[in-house]
Amino acid sequence: MRIYLDNAATTPLDPEVFEAMKPFMLEDFGNPSSTHAHGRTVRAAIESARKKIAELLNCTPGEIIFTSGGTEADNTILTGGIISYSVQNIITSPIEHHAVEETLNHLSKKKHIHLHKVNLDKHGNVDLQHLDQLLHKHPSALVSLMHANNEIGNLLDIEAVSELCSHHKAYFHSDTVQTVGHYPHNLKKIKVHGIAAAAHKFHGPKGIGFMFIRKDKKIQSFIHGGPQERSMRGGTENVYGIIGLAKALEIAYRDLDKHKPYILGLKSRMIEKLKQNIPGVTFHGNSADLDKSLYTVLNVCLPESDQNSMLLFNLDLHGISASGGSACSSGATAGSHVLSALYPDSKKGAVRFSFSKYNTETEIDVAVEKLRECLSV
Ligand SMILES: Cc1ncc(COP(=O)(O)O)c(C=O)c1O
């Protein structure tokens, strides 16, 4: 039996989503920019997908812009925000996803912008008092803080941060790639200017996502070309991706009340089983705190051992797909900038298990048993 516990990297496509996409792969192939009937049918489907997403997130359809995924959405919001608002100071954290971290490093070097890192507590939580101090010193900064960390699962109090940013007139971007489709987002209430989402994190297709850009904080485009996406993103739309994205988001929110407690149950089961079976096990960040972390992510901290360096490789041989923190470090426990920032001297092992509605209690039990075998404990 092969067990997939790497759902923060990507999730399997929901068959209901695939069914919704199929007609747009085969019959409805027109270019949405064409004015003839073939094009108009597809245009109508895209606009109804946009409307559906806007309804689910409580914003207006014009504030939703389709992208190729989370990375492009983050790049566009950050680059556009910095140029459009002549940003001189950026406030961010040391544990952002590379889509944000690398973009900000690049932009700050190129445009001589000052990058300020907000303090984190020992579990990786943003120090809101320090954020307030930084904003006092640098009002009108651009703040980029992720809603949930993809490696350790820590949740940010996005509402509190949005209030602080609004008070200091800062531009606020939040990478919400791990929370869209998993937590409700009321964008009328949360004073965020830009968020990013990727469909493949909630059982939609890969290569499609969207950004929300608040209508009173418009930014310049990033990909230049045709007038698609209200001239915010040139290029023929990924039609079946967009249809699949909207369907996946609709299903995610339709079934949230059922799936959230189920997945949370799997996570708490794993925490208990690990505590019973792996001596000395602890958990990175907030990930064992069920209220303060993603219910989909558990980052396990293992006592120092010779087995740790080959652990993910061995788990894979034992039929378990998990990761070392982020997808890019699969096969090795080294390489997580998040864990290095929080635990600089640690020689402990790390495995990130991440769950979805398709996982079962049996899979959790088998995964813990296989981990125990790999560690020879
Ligand atoms: C928090 C976060 N931001 C951004 C991304 C990038 O998304 P994509 O791979 O769709 O570009 C990911 C995906 O791993 C993520 O977890």
Side-chain angles (χ1 to χ4, degrees):
M1 170 161 87
R2 254 224 91 87
I3 297 175
Y4 184 76
L5 289 172
D6 199 13
N7 291 280
T10 198
T11 53
L13 192 74
D14 187 318
E16 218 186 310
V17 172
F18 182 54
E19 286 307 316
M21 292 168 70
K22 254 177 21 196
F24 294 89
M25 293 171 157
L26 300 170
E27 299 125 45
D28 297 318
F29 60 86
N31 187 320
S33 296
S34 301
T35 51
H36 50 59
H38 278 87
R40 289 199 308 274
T41 310
V42 176
R43 164 66 49 215
I46 288 183
E47 293 317 316
S48 102
R50 195 190 311 278
K51 192 163 169 262
K52 167 64 63 196
I53 295 167
E55 275 165 18
L56 291 167
L57 302 178
N58 200 15
C59 63
T60 60
E63 293 173 311
I64 299 295
I65 292 137
F66 295 114
T67 63
S68 63
T71 303
E72 188 193 318
D74 285 332
N75 268 267
T76 306
I77 298 167
L78 294 170
T79 309
I82 286 168
I83 296 171
S84 305
Y85 297 103
S86 310
V87 167
Q88 303 281 308
N89 291 285
I90 297 170
I91 302 170
T92 185
S93 89
I95 59 169
E96 296 299 305
H97 189 273
H98 287 306
V100 168
E101 191 184 58
E102 294 299 322
T103 306
L104 291 181
N105 285 343
H106 169 75
L107 290 169
S108 63
K109 272 188 217 133
K110 218 172 114 198
K111 300 194 175 294
H112 308 291
I113 296 166
H114 303 284
L115 214 53
H116 310 275
K117 299 277 168 87
V118 68
N119 292 343
L120 304 174
D121 71 11
K122 64 176 183 184
H123 300 296
N125 299 304
V126 169
D127 177 344
L128 291 182
Q129 244 179 338
H130 186 231
L131 177 61
D132 193 28
Q133 284 162 11
L134 286 173
L135 282 164
H136 258 294
K137 263 200 217 153
H138 312 290
S140 315
L142 181 145
V143 174
S144 181
L145 291 171
M146 68 203 308
H147 188 197
N149 189 280
N150 51 301
E151 297 194 31
I152 53 174
N154 284 25
L155 284 165
L156 176 79
D157 186 344
I158 192 171
E159 230 176 298
V161 172
S162 78
E163 289 298 334
L164 270 180
C165 290
S166 161
H167 178 72
H168 293 282
K169 304 203 172 2
Y171 185 92
F172 178 32
H173 158 256
S174 186
D175 179 334
T176 52
V177 168
Q178 292 290 341
T179 58
V180 168
H182 299 285
Y183 291 82
H185 285 267
N186 181 348
L187 294 171
K188 286 242 154 66
K189 195 163 162 229
I190 302 167
K191 294 171 184 162
V192 65
H193 297 115
I195 70 166
H200 68 108
K201 306 290 187 185
F202 47 91
H203 305 288
K206 292 170 184 58
I208 185 72
F210 67 86
M211 53 193 171
F212 156 82
I213 295 175
R214 195 170 291 285
K215 59 174 175 290
D216 59 1
K217 275 282 186 189
K218 289 236 161 60
I219 57 168
Q220 285 184 24
S221 67
F222 181 61
I223 295 184
H224 305 281
Q228 290 92 351
E229 298 300 291
R230 294 169 177 82
S231 296
M232 274 303 296
R233 203 252 184 185
T236 302
E237 296 88 338
N238 173 356
V239 178
Y240 38 82
I242 291 171
I243 303 302
L245 158 61
K247 189 69 186 171
L249 198 63
E250 184 186 349
I251 295 170
Y253 286 126
R254 181 192 72 195
D255 298 341
L256 192 65
D257 290 346
K258 184 168 92 194
H259 291 145
K260 189 175 168 185
Y262 173 70
I263 299 168
L264 189 69
L266 296 178
K267 175 170 162 169
S268 14
R269 184 180 184 94
M270 188 168 233
I271 294 171
E272 286 319 307
K273 295 265 165 193
L274 286 168
K275 283 183 184 163
Q276 286 161 15
N277 288 282
I278 314 283
V281 73
T282 53
F283 302 93
H284 287 124
N286 287 343
S287 74
D289 186 330
L290 301 182
D291 296 324
K292 291 189 183 156
S293 66
L294 288 169
Y295 56 90
T296 47
V297 168
L298 181 65
N299 196 312
V300 183
C301 174
L302 298 158
E304 203 177 325
S305 126
D306 290 345
Q307 268 84 357
N308 285 345
S309 60
M310 294 300 281
L311 190 55
L312 291 169
F313 181 72
N314 281 333
L315 273 173
D316 191 21
L317 288 181
H318 281 73
I320 312 293
S321 298
S323 110
S326 64
C328 49
S329 62
S330 52
T333 40
S336 159
H337 71 289
V338 173
L339 297 180
S340 309
L342 294 179
Y343 312 100
D345 303 319
S346 173
K347 296 203 170 52
K348 295 190 171 182
V351 186
R352 180 189 69 179
F353 292 107
S354 47
F355 319 101
S356 87
K357 61 183 179 181
Y358 294 124
N359 289 122
T360 63
E361 290 187 348
T362 308
E363 287 181 330
I364 299 295
D365 298 354
V366 172
V368 174
E369 185 49 33
K370 297 290 177 191
L371 181 63
R372 208 180 55 74
E373 278 175 34
C374 291
L375 292 168
S376 324
V377 290

